[in-house]
Amino acid sequence: MRQISPRTGTAADGSVLPAEDESARPWEELFAPLVAPVRILVGAPPARPPAAAPLHLGYLSLLDIEAGPMRVQRTPRLISADPGERVAVIVQQSGTATLTQDGRNTTVEPGNAAFVDPRRPFSLEQREDFRMVLLSLPHAILGLPVSRLRQLTAVAIRREERPASLGIPFLEGLARVARQMPPGAGDRLAGCAVEWVVLLGDAALGEAPDEAGTRDGVRAPLLQEVRTYIDRHLADPDLSPERIADSHHISVRYLHRLFEGEGTTVGRLVQRRRIEECGKELARRERASPTISVVARRWGFQDATHFSRAFKQILGVSPRQWRLSHLSGAGSAGFSALALTGESYDLRRDASGGGECQGPPTRRAP
């Protein structure tokens, strides 16, 4: 069997591999959106074209690869042109691979796994016919800084070790059955896969798995991205959980899971943030102030009755009472105008914005 030399880029029989091989181009085009642009060298005979297309489950992508000898390279020049924003996990199923990154060179045997970070140079060499499952996901989902991820790359995660003895079979099985799953089930499986990827990373770093800490580490960065997206699109009347989920390449179900333990839901957060912005605008003292209905529409409210009801529920008074109290000079500090209803509200914001509101109004003690 013809093999690729790990050092010279030549075949084992001494012949030089072509610098550009047209049979490698379909593989390069496959890897580019899945992981990042790469350069691929193949042996002879020419590489077989990819037999399967990637499978996308929300923000998680999977590819079951079966091919002959090849070397996948991510060079500084390719990184400069496209830095990439995804992390890859390979699960070797047959054949033996050699992975080089961050000063480490490791052998990945069948049944084992390893992390690859396309934001830095790497080389993945398959010296014989092989089969491999490739998973990729945005690095932000892992919640790991570059310094920590650098410690994970090119480290063989052995199947016989815990939790890999459970995690690796799950990832292999996911690649086999995910195409038959309905969309909702596939998205839920993607969430489970990410949890397993994080656990595998913890094990490789020698850290004890901590269920709560792992969950926070995975979800916190994405949750912050969602909150930022909501703030930027508050004025859009079409802002909805479906649109938010689609913009972040996750399912609506997983979006709602992100907010578990946050004390609110996606819909309530959007409504609360809109009311906060309306309240700040109605509290301004200007010669030519916009009408209440104009302010409501500006922040995404299309129904006046719904706006008035939501405003009073969150800030404790009607929009008109709120505006009058501020025009008369009352309530500019701490929103004391809410004394009209005997309720208090800690917005924890100044007129310049920022921060988070404390929650719904609370009744003062008599």
Side-chain angles (χ1 to χ4, degrees), residues 88-151:
V89 178
I90 62 169
V91 179
Q92 193 78 8
Q93 295 184 295
S94 67
T96 300
T98 301
L99 175 61
T100 303
Q101 189 170 31
D102 294 326
R104 289 181 292 274
N105 185 288
T106 190
T107 298
V108 186
E109 298 177 343
N112 296 344
F115 282 82
V116 181
D117 189 349
R119 292 173 293 177
R120 295 185 304 284
F122 73 83
S123 173
L124 175 63
E125 186 165 14
Q126 304 281 359
R127 303 181 66 185
E128 55 190 334
D129 290 348
F130 72 97
R131 186 168 183 176
M132 177 183 76
V133 173
L134 175 66
L135 301 93
S136 76
L137 66 160
H139 62 79
I141 298 296
L142 292 180
L144 289 174
V146 174
S147 59
R148 298 291 283 166
L149 191 54
R150 191 186 295 268
Q151 300 175 45

Side-chain angles (χ1 to χ4, degrees), residues 4 8 28 37 39 98 108-109 157 198 231 233 246 251 254 263 271 289 327 336:
I4 301 173
T8 64
E28 293 176 343
R39 181 171 183 256
T98 301
V108 186
E109 298 177 343
I157 302 173
V198 173
D231 279 349
H233 296 82
D246 184 65
S251 69
Y254 190 73
Q271 178 168 278
S289 299
L327 289 178
S336 59

